[in-house]
Amino acid sequence: MASSSKANLAEQDEGEEAEEIEHFNDFTLASSWERFISEIEATCRQWLADGPKRLLEKGAVHLDSSDNIYKVKSELKNAAKIYSMEYYFEISGKIADWNCTLHDLQLCFGVKEFLVISPQSASGVVLDAPEATKLLSAVSIALANCSSLWPAFVPVHDPSRKAFIGIQNMGTIFTRRFEADRIGSQVPIKFMHLEGLYELFVSKFAYCMSDHSMHLFRVHLLMKLTYQTLSNDEDNYDDIQEADTENAESETSPGCGNPNRKHWDDDCPWNEWYSAEDPVMRFDLVVTWSEKVVESSLEMAEMENASPHEAEKWILAPNLYPNLDSSKGDRIGFASQLHLLVNALGMSFEAPFIEDFVSVENPGSDNLESTMVIPPPTVLDRVLKDLFLEAIAVLWIEFVQEIRWHWEESQPLPKIPANGSIDLATCLINQKLQMLAICIGKKRELNEEFEDCIGTKDDASANMEKMQEANKDGDESSSFHARSQAFDEKRDSLLTPEGFNGSKTVESKFSANAQDVHSADKSTLDSIRRGSAGPVGSMKLLKLCQSLHAPFTQSAPLMTEDMHEERLRAIETFGFSFNFSAQLERETLSSDMSAFKAANPGAVFEDFIRWYSPTDWENDESEAKGPSTDLTEGMNVDWPPQGRLSRRMSESGNFWRKIWDEAPILPASEQKPLLDPNREGEKILHYLETMQPHQLLEQMVCSAFRASADTLNQTNYGSLKEMDTKMDQLYLTMASTLRPLQVNLLSNTSDTIEDLQRLCVVFEHVEKLLILAASLHRRFRQVPRISEAIFSNYYNFYLPTMGIGLADVDTQKEFDMKLQLSQNERQVVSNMFTPPTANQSWRKVLSMGNHLNGHEPILREIIFSMHDNASDNHYASSSHRDYQQDTETYRMYTCGTSNDLRVALSIISYD
């Protein structure tokens, strides 16, 4: 039994081996066609086994035209030809709406994932019809062997026709076939209207009906219309044409432009410096109707007359210029000029004097010849880079010469206010010019006073005769006193209390002081009091029971930033001390003390301290005596004041007391001015004439960045938080980057030039965003949600490129956004489609319906479909009696205009 069982097992194994040998596929005997099908099948099986996630890991390529479509590719060889088979698939299982970005074949045939097989040739299409049919058959067989339901397509005919044929196994006894083609010109008039397209679709299944309008078919319909606003170029062209027509007689020169033509940014803050192109090219408005069931062509005719306002959805899509023209190199703006300025700064260390950058052949603008020939932007940009520094040098030399002329002729500096103050927040050059303007003003005043004093020769001799007669007839001293008093009154009238320290309280010198107890003594003192601005409250002098008067004082000498820094360096070098501080302020202290002595005859040092520095006077109330009654009998006056000097003021060798002792008794009107306009003016001119190139460029760079940013910051762009954030970041970046230039720490070996170049890139990004924000805000002021949504999406799209130069930005990827509008926003968008002008009407003949303010759609897309229940169809087999799904048996997608029509048809047939 054991041996017989072993024998049976051996015979069984031999039978199985024979069976395997009998079913062995000998590919050496298979045809090339069979091997081609097998290769397609093997590739499809591999893709099916991997699935979408695994294919992504293996390097599936994402399509830029869609957010959710990927593809894998494989090369196949059949005889001498090589084919490329591509598998397109989506990651998410959600069915994409046709308002989303779909692949062309998805939109045409309503498929989700599919195969495309095409020859690797210059055209990429199969021009031979039998070859195309055979190729599609091979793919169909391979997919059937894989039990795959993927539809497959083959591109055919001329590439411009975008024609395809395709097939799909439905997994039942049905097969779906696809066909698409395009008419590129001379579209029949019938197909320009919805009625004709409806009859075209019905004709695909109503074979025996000659008059489709008399029969009812339940055709499902989806329609999408795309409208487009006029681009800036088209709008400007029409404006020019109209202006030429209206002003043809008034134009006298061929080169003059239209003075009435307005640019979009005429009222923007940067328009004084340059005119920016509108970054928004145009807007596309996509209007979609909800699905409808149409039963006759008459309903289609009615639908063609429907208003777009009746549509279910309005979707707005902005079309922006690629990178807002910033990558073309012909854009003018603050950033491009700042970049030239930074490059000039890098070159400024090559010479110690500005004159070294002026060529011998062209030393100034006198030799420049004007020309009406304007070079192209690229040539102009290259020339500017080469001559920018020389141009700055020539301009600066002539500027300094002009400044010296104003100084020598005592003429005010244009646009430089001589208001007696210096704005230390500005650059040093501007501070110097402000001080020079003040010096010119002081110089003019001195010249006028000198002329008034000397008068003419006749007046001088007449005055001398009168003085001699007065000396003979009267007391000489009283006459001199009268003239002196008159002169003091004249000079004091020119001075104002604005020069006082703000902490001092001053009463009018015309107010009566009820506490003055000695009227006779007061009259005597006032006769020699000079330069008084009035009593200071109820303060009394220590040695005399008289009111303490505040004097008119000279204003503190003006100082620019470098003068302040020089004082700080001196303090750091010698250390800060009370006496050293007094030395630095010696001239001002001496002037104030002299004026105080003149206004308060008989005053002592302690009186000056009580008025000038109250914190250095310590009141001693505990030692205060009662009211004095010997000299002020009948008056309740606390005199003398009780107190003492502070410790630092009472120290021996106090420098303030030394200055007090040396200070003459002179009112401010008779003192030497603290500011010598002639000396300071010449020092400023010397500074401007001997300035090194890098010192000039450093200040120009700082000023240019700040002025440019401040100009852009005045732009009205609404409530865009992202833009506010970028502007704040720009100011912080500028402050940190420009700091070495402001403290004179820049050298030709430092990294600051590279930092400045990066700052130029940052500035250009911000400038680009701000111009876009301004353009959007102007259009959608009434509906700010639209501008905020568009800008926010573009900001997120553009944000990854902000760390690199605009020349390195990937221009292949375009900004694509679709924003659904609410009902209250539709009217604002509708108003953007202004009625066409006469010129626009001549250029465009309206051939389609559904007009929006006189504009016909630039693109009309319609999906016709017929649905049938498979169980009721005579094609259904007995094995599928429970198959109750509503099947789309016919589908036709049309896309086009009056001059272009594309039709894609899919039909389910019985095999």
Side-chain angles (χ1 to χ4, degrees), residues 124 151 170 242 477 499 588 710 765 785 892:
M170 302 295 293
E242 292 180 0
S477 60
T588 304
D710 289 345
H765 289 304
R785 187 192 75 90
M892 186 177 77

Side-chain angles (χ1 to χ4, degrees), residues 668-682:
S669 59
E670 300 179 13
Q671 295 176 12
K672 177 183 177 182
L674 294 177
L675 176 65
D676 186 349
N678 293 306
R679 180 187 62 185
E680 295 298 332
E682 289 296 336

Side-chain angles (χ1 to χ4, degrees), residues 465-483:
E465 292 177 357
K466 293 181 180 180
M467 291 175 63
Q468 292 176 358
E469 294 177 358
N471 291 335
K472 294 178 180 179
D473 298 337
D475 186 15
E476 182 177 358
S477 60
S478 60
S479 176
F480 176 80
H481 177 73
R483 292 194 304 270

Side-chain angles (χ1 to χ4, degrees), residues 80-91:
K81 289 188 176 181
I82 300 177
Y83 295 91
S84 173
M85 186 170 67
E86 297 174 334
Y87 169 48
Y88 293 82
F89 62 95
E90 295 181 351
I91 299 300

Side-chain angles (χ1 to χ4, degrees), residues 499-703:
F500 293 161
N501 191 308
S503 63
K504 302 175 182 62
T505 303
V506 181
E507 294 182 358
S508 173
K509 64 180 178 180
F510 299 104
S511 62
N513 188 351
Q515 298 179 3
D516 199 336
V517 295
H518 292 287
S519 60
D521 293 342
K522 177 178 182 300
S523 176
T524 304
L525 290 174
D526 285 342
S527 63
I528 60 174
R529 189 189 307 276
R530 294 178 296 168
S532 172
V536 182
S538 60
M539 292 183 66
K540 301 292 183 179
L541 297 177
L542 291 175
K543 301 299 183 182
L544 298 174
C545 187
Q546 301 296 332
S547 297
L548 187 149
H549 284 246
F552 285 111
T553 58
Q554 296 192 58
S555 300
L558 300 175
M559 291 190 295
T560 56
E561 185 178 2
D562 59 335
M563 299 169 68
H564 283 285
E565 292 177 353
E566 184 178 356
R567 293 170 62 89
L568 291 177
R569 286 193 296 268
I571 294 175
E572 292 176 356
T573 302
F574 298 99
F576 180 81
S577 65
F578 180 68
N579 287 336
F580 180 73
S581 175
Q583 291 179 7
L584 292 177
E585 303 290 341
R586 180 186 183 94
E587 292 185 358
T588 304
L589 275 175
S590 178
S591 173
D592 293 343
M593 289 177 178
S594 296
F596 185 84
K597 287 182 178 181
N600 297 277
V604 294
F605 177 67
E606 287 78 3
D607 291 324
F608 176 77
I609 294 300
R610 291 167 58 215
W611 168 73
Y612 196 87
S613 181
T615 57
D616 285 310
W617 178 258
E618 300 174 356
N619 290 318
D620 189 4
E621 300 296 339
S622 62
E623 298 181 3
K625 300 179 180 179
S628 178
T629 58
D630 53 350
L631 298 178
T632 59
E633 185 176 358
M635 304 295 295
N636 187 15
V637 179
D638 291 338
W639 184 87
Q642 302 300 315
R644 65 178 63 86
L645 291 174
S646 64
R647 180 177 179 180
R648 66 173 185 172
M649 286 294 180
S650 58
E651 291 178 351
S652 60
N654 180 272
F655 198 74
W656 281 49
R657 184 177 292 276
K658 181 179 180 182
I659 297 176
W660 171 265
D661 295 338
E662 297 175 355
I665 303 176
L666 286 176
S669 59
E670 300 179 13
Q671 295 176 12
K672 177 183 177 182
L674 294 177
L675 176 65
D676 186 349
N678 293 306
R679 180 187 62 185
E680 295 298 332
E682 289 296 336
K683 288 171 62 176
I684 293 171
L685 287 171
H686 178 75
Y687 169 82
L688 298 177
E689 292 171 343
T690 60
M691 178 180 292
Q692 294 184 353
H694 72 89
Q695 294 176 335
L696 171 63
L697 268 300
E698 287 172 7
Q699 298 185 52
M700 289 182 65
V701 168
C702 292
S703 301

Side-chain angles (χ1 to χ4, degrees), residues 398-417:
E398 296 191 358
F399 171 76
V400 175
Q401 292 175 352
E402 186 72 13
I403 293 296
R404 176 164 285 281
W405 179 87
H406 280 270
W407 165 251
E408 293 176 349
E409 299 296 329
S410 299
Q411 296 298 319
L413 296 180
K415 297 184 178 181
I416 302 294

